[in-house]
Structure formats: C-alpha cells, structure tokens
C-alpha cells in the first residue's frame, strides 16, 4: 500500500520514528490489510467504498503510463470524522503531514481548513499537494500558513505566475 501520506509514514517508521497514518478506509479494505502487514501504525476513519488503486506501467524505453482511480467519495460525516481524527492525533505530534490528492467529495479548501484547525496544536505542519487544493491553500496563507509546503517546479510556477522551465533554469544557475 502506498500514496503520499502512507509513504511518509512508512519512511518514518523505517527510520524508527513514531508515526501514524490517518486515512479514510474501511477496516476490511484490502489496502488496510496490506498496511497492517507493512508494520505502519494507522488509524482508519470508516467509509463505504474502497481505497483507490493506482497502476503505473513503465516501458523499457522509460515511457510511463499512470492509471489512477478516483477512489471512494467522502460524505460530510466521513470528512468531519477524518478532520477530527487528524486534529486529535496532532495533540501528541511534533509534525503533521497532509499530503496527496483529495478524495471525491472533499472540498479543495480542506487542507487549508485543517491547517487552521491545527493552529493551536503543538505541532508543525507540512503540506504536499497540487492543483486546486494547493491553490486553495495558497489563497488562504493569511490564515492557513503551514510550516512547509512542497510544490514541484510546475506547481510553484502556477502559484507565482512563472514558467516551470524558468524556475528550473534559475535553480540550475544557483
């Protein structure tokens, strides 16, 4: 099992750090069985439907094709439970990482709303997302400024109105 948030939790677990992956999933989902077998601590927020699966096919010449499913839609009750679970886990955390695309039914502003909800928690917050959720977060920086964001060149270019190539060239030139 993977995905940005689970991959972060897996890396931290392998480094010997305490972590917990908080995710929307039914405890009977095959994804959760794989997560359980991996040794990563997790907290499921129950949903109906299954966790999305993605398939990446890489050809010998390096051509990559990605097939990404949308995943289960989160209703208002599941989204509220997910938010409450993240905030509750943050009370004993030094960092909270919010990452990945958002499931169907989750408003683009959700990451920004969670950053605001975490403002009084004793943790730092990192966000790694893209497209509309990243734009919504950036638009809310006045009230919802995480400690770290991790845009790639294309995502950063979109936020600052520059070209990704110009940003990459500037980095290459130091």
């Amino acid at each position: 099992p993977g995905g940005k948030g689970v991959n972060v939790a897996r890396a931290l677990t392998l480094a010997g750090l305490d972590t917990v992956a908080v995710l929307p999933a039914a405890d009977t989902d095959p994804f959760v069985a794989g997560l359980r077998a991996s040794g990563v601590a997790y907290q499921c927020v129950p949903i109906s439907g299954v966790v999305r699966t993605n398939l990446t096919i890489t050809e010998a010449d390096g051509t990559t094709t990605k097939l990404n499913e949308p995943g289960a839609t989160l209703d208002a009750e599941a989204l509220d439970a997910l938010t409450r679970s993240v905030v509750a886990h943050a009370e004993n955390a030094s960092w909270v990482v919010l990452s990945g695309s958002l499931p169907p039914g989750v408003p683009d502003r959700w990451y920004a709303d969670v950053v605001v909800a975490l403002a009084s928690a004793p943790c730092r917050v990192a966000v790694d997302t893209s497209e509309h959720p990243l734009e919504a977060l950036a638009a809310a920086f006045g009230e919802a400024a995480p400690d770290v964001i991790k845009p790639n060149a294309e995502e950063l270019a979109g936020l600052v109105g520059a070209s990704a190539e110009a940003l990459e060239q500037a980095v290459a030139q130091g």
Side-chain angles (χ1 to χ4, degrees):
K4 285 186 180 182
V6 168
N7 291 342
V8 168
R10 181 188 334 269
L12 293 172
T13 298
L14 289 171
L17 299 171
D18 290 333
T19 186
V20 61
V22 178
L23 64 148
D27 196 47
T28 57
D29 192 300
F31 181 90
V32 175
L35 189 57
R36 188 178 303 115
S38 75
V40 173
Y42 64 91
Q43 173 69 50
C44 288
V45 173
I47 61 168
S48 59
V50 295
V51 173
R52 78 179 189 157
T53 56
N54 300 323
L55 179 64
T56 302
I57 303 166
T58 304
E59 298 178 40
D61 69 357
T63 301
T64 301
T65 302
K66 293 186 175 197
L67 305 170
N68 297 333
E69 294 181 340
T73 299
L74 268 61
D75 60 22
E77 183 179 331
L79 184 58
D80 182 58
L82 180 62
T83 303
R84 284 186 283 110
S85 186
V86 169
V87 171
H89 280 86
E91 291 302 320
N92 296 314
S94 54
W95 278 92
V96 170
V97 177
L98 305 169
S99 60
S101 58
L102 296 174
V106 176
D108 292 337
R109 190 183 151 83
W110 187 73
Y111 282 138
D113 292 341
V114 174
V115 170
V116 169
L118 294 173
S120 64
C123 62
R124 297 178 75 186
V125 180
V127 180
D128 180 8
T129 193
S130 60
E131 299 176 352
H132 297 302
L134 178 60
E135 293 166 6
L137 177 66
F141 277 167
E143 63 177 324
D147 296 284
V148 174
I149 61 170
K150 196 221 66 72
N152 61 31
E154 187 176 304
E155 294 160 349
L156 182 59
L159 288 179
V160 300
S163 79
E165 295 80 23
L167 291 176
E168 291 286 356
Q169 288 174 355
V171 168
Q173 295 174 359

